[in-house]
Amino acid sequence: MIIRGGTSLCGMVDVQGAKNAALPVMAASILLKGKKLTLKRVPDLYDIHTMSDLLRHIGITVKFKNNFMEIDVPDELNWDAPAELVRKMRASSLVLGPLLARCGKAILPLPGGCVLGSRPIDFHLKGLTKMGAEIDLNRGSVYASAGKLKGERIILDYPSVGATENLMMAAALAHGVTFIENAALEPEIVNLANVLRLMGIPVKGDGTPTIRITGVPEANSAEAEVIPDRIEAATYLIAGIITKGSVTVRGIDSGLIDAILLKLEEAGASIEIMLDEVTAKCAGPLNGVPVKTMPYPGFPTDSQPQLMAALSLALGTSVINESVFDSRLLHINEFKKMGAKIELQDSTAIVTGVSKLIGTEVRASNLRAGAALIIMGLAAEGETVVNDLCHVWRGYEGLPEKLRSLGANIELLD
Ligand code: UD1
């Protein structure tokens, strides 16, 4: 993408359905037997297509058009996930829990996804083992088997989003009641719980640290809607702020992005909320602020690179501590190529604001870093070329069109 910076972004964009809410819900369809799951507001993204292909390999029919998805699940399923799909996306690990619950067996090559340091799935495996699964790790794959999973009390060592989701789905067809303690609180967990409830599975306590799931013998067909994508919404708001413009995102519950909005206000941006619309603007530069990424409801790690992009032009210094993914600061070298002044101390970035960024050629190392580099390009002087955009297509539907509708001068090559 070639970005000619310097234009203030102004206008309104609609928020897509949340990628990170759609993926686990799609995986939850595996719990069905001879039943259907229909989903509205599914974003049209690479990761969604990867999950669709994974479900198809398992034997499930997936039809997807105009953000509407119909998933038709037969009586018999394959229980192995192919390496070429799983290695494309870490969220593929979400099929493990439901496959094991539904088929009593699952083979999962160890997953890939964004390069974010070592991202193990040990919490997922520990929880499934507690529920009675036998797990073998052999030649880079997980071989899991269980006669019938049993409800248990599981205490997560960390409120992992993926582990909470996997265990919720495993518990849905388990014998008895499962308690997941120190569960993740993310809105995507609540979305999954809502879908499980629509499937007839009693789930309580989602959105709190203790989730209680009563296993059922069979799940029912359901129709559901995916919640708005809080990270996408925040990305466009930050793009408006860094270009000294005014961007409104429509179709978002502002409560989902509270931590981000409060941080932007603390840095000097003005935020207006009207029903399902949020507007952010800032006529001058932001002020440096401290940031620490945390599990929800703290500041999300998925918005850290975009905020860092904006703070690289702030007045004063920002201390940004990345506490969720140790390697989610790899974008700093690319930021520096554009003139940002950033010093890395372990998992903390000390960002000293500069008065301008200069366009150059940079590379997206992962999804959110790619979005952040685009944001920087929009504010930089001259031309910025962002390579390896394949990462960005994993998470942002219609990004070039949305940016152009806000006035951005961008061109896509190849
Ligand atoms: C999900 C999101 C991702 C987001 C992250 C944190 C999806 C598809 N992805 O990823 O965009 O950045 O939540 O909000 O929803 N960990 C372990 N062992 C495990 C599991 C996790 O050590 O078994 C560690 C991870 O390496 C990481 C931390 O726990 O340091 C958080 O990971 P987790 O919450 O599981 O993130 P994901 O579910 O992978």
Side-chain angles (χ1 to χ4, degrees):
M1 182 185 286
I2 301 183
I3 305 162
R4 295 178 189 93
T7 314
S8 295
L9 297 199
C10 291
M12 183 186 291
V13 289
D14 286 310
V15 179
Q16 70 187 28
K19 166 180 89 74
N20 289 350
L23 292 169
V25 164
M26 288 171 72
S29 69
I30 296 171
L31 297 168
L32 300 171
K33 189 172 183 180
K35 305 267 169 60
K36 284 186 186 179
L37 177 64
T38 47
L39 297 173
K40 288 187 209 151
R41 207 185 197 187
V42 179
D44 195 342
L45 302 167
Y46 274 25
D47 278 7
I48 297 294
H49 289 280
T50 303
M51 183 59 92
S52 302
D53 288 343
L54 186 48
L55 294 180
R56 288 186 188 111
H57 174 92
I58 290 170
I60 295 172
T61 304
V62 181
K63 291 186 198 152
F64 183 37
K65 206 174 169 189
N66 298 332
N67 302 113
F68 182 76
M69 186 173 277
E70 276 183 304
I71 307 178
D72 208 329
V73 190
D75 286 355
E76 298 300 321
L77 296 179
N78 303 319
W79 57 79
D80 69 308
E84 67 274 15
L85 291 175
V86 173
R87 300 232 157 92
K88 275 190 188 175
M89 179 179 77
R90 176 175 163 83
S92 314
S93 58
L94 294 172
V95 303
L96 183 62
L99 263 187
L100 192 56
R102 167 77 154 75
C103 305
K105 282 184 195 169
I107 303 176
L108 181 86
L110 288 170
C114 282
V115 186
L116 295 176
S118 59
R119 294 178 76 185
I121 55 165
D122 50 330
F123 304 152
H124 306 227
L125 302 182
K126 201 169 152 189
L128 292 172
T129 306
K130 182 102 196 267
M131 294 174 77
E134 279 189 24
I135 308 267
D136 276 334
L137 290 174
N138 207 338
R139 281 177 282 130
S141 290
V142 177
Y143 293 80
S145 60
K148 173 98 176 155
L149 292 171
K150 57 179 184 348
E152 268 293 346
R153 185 160 168 258
I154 299 163
I155 305 184
L156 292 176
D157 294 331
Y158 181 90
S160 153
V161 176
T164 303
E165 291 166 343
N166 232 335
L167 296 172
M168 285 167 76
M169 292 186 275
L173 299 182
H175 183 71
V177 181
T178 300
F179 291 89
I180 307 172
E181 309 271 8
N182 197 23
L185 309 178
E186 267 69 359
E188 291 75 17
I189 301 284
V190 177
N191 189 71
L192 174 62
N194 283 334
V195 175
L196 293 179
R197 279 188 284 266
L198 288 168
M199 289 166 129
I201 300 148
V203 182
K204 287 196 172 145
D206 45 297
T208 79
T210 303
I211 302 179
R212 179 186 196 274
I213 299 136
T214 308
V216 296
E218 233 176 78
N220 299 327
S221 292
E223 289 178 22
E225 184 165 326
V226 175
I227 54 167
D229 195 315
R230 57 201 172 99
I231 307 301
E232 191 216 19
T235 302
Y236 288 109
L237 292 177
I238 295 173
I241 290 171
I242 195 175
T243 58
K244 302 195 174 72
S246 168
V247 168
T248 301
V249 289
R250 180 169 58 186
I252 181 89
D253 167 1
S254 64
L256 297 179
I257 49 173
D258 250 355
I260 304 168
L261 297 180
L262 288 171
K263 195 47 81 176
L264 291 173
E265 275 184 331
E266 188 185 332
S270 99
I271 305 288
E272 280 166 33
I273 299 168
M274 281 267 287
L275 302 171
D276 70 340
E277 293 177 8
V278 178
T279 303
K281 50 184 136 180
C282 192
L286 293 175
N287 299 310
V289 283
V291 183
K292 179 169 182 168
T293 63
M294 304 272 279
Y296 192 84
F299 190 90
T301 174
D302 285 356
S303 294
Q304 174 265 107
Q306 300 91 309
L307 182 64
M308 188 188 290
L311 292 175
S312 66
L313 282 169
L315 296 173
T317 301
S318 302
V319 177
I320 304 179
N321 177 247
E322 174 53 63
S323 83
V324 180
F325 286 112
D326 45 6
S327 301
R328 210 169 226 181
L329 291 166
L330 290 177
H331 49 268
I332 286 175
N333 286 337
E334 300 303 291
F335 281 24
K336 283 183 178 171
K337 285 185 192 162
M338 298 184 68
K341 210 171 151 206
I342 306 174
E343 195 194 320
L344 187 59
Q345 293 175 3
D346 300 321
S347 52
T348 300
I350 318 284
V351 183
T352 307
V354 293
S355 58
K356 64 177 179 186
L357 296 168
I358 311 283
T360 186
E361 191 162 344
V362 287
R363 192 164 285 282
S365 57
N366 65 55
L367 164 55
R368 306 303 170 188
L373 287 167
I374 292 173
I375 287 178
M376 284 181 99
L378 292 166
E381 272 185 12
E383 259 186 24
T384 301
V385 180
V386 184
N387 292 311
D388 283 355
L389 281 179
C390 53
H391 293 294
V392 175
W393 308 148
R394 291 186 43 217
Y396 292 90
E397 180 179 344
L399 176 122
E401 294 77 17
K402 286 186 176 178
L403 284 180
R404 282 194 194 109
S405 78
L406 296 172
N409 184 343
I410 55 171
E411 196 183 326
L412 275 181
L413 297 181
D414 190 7

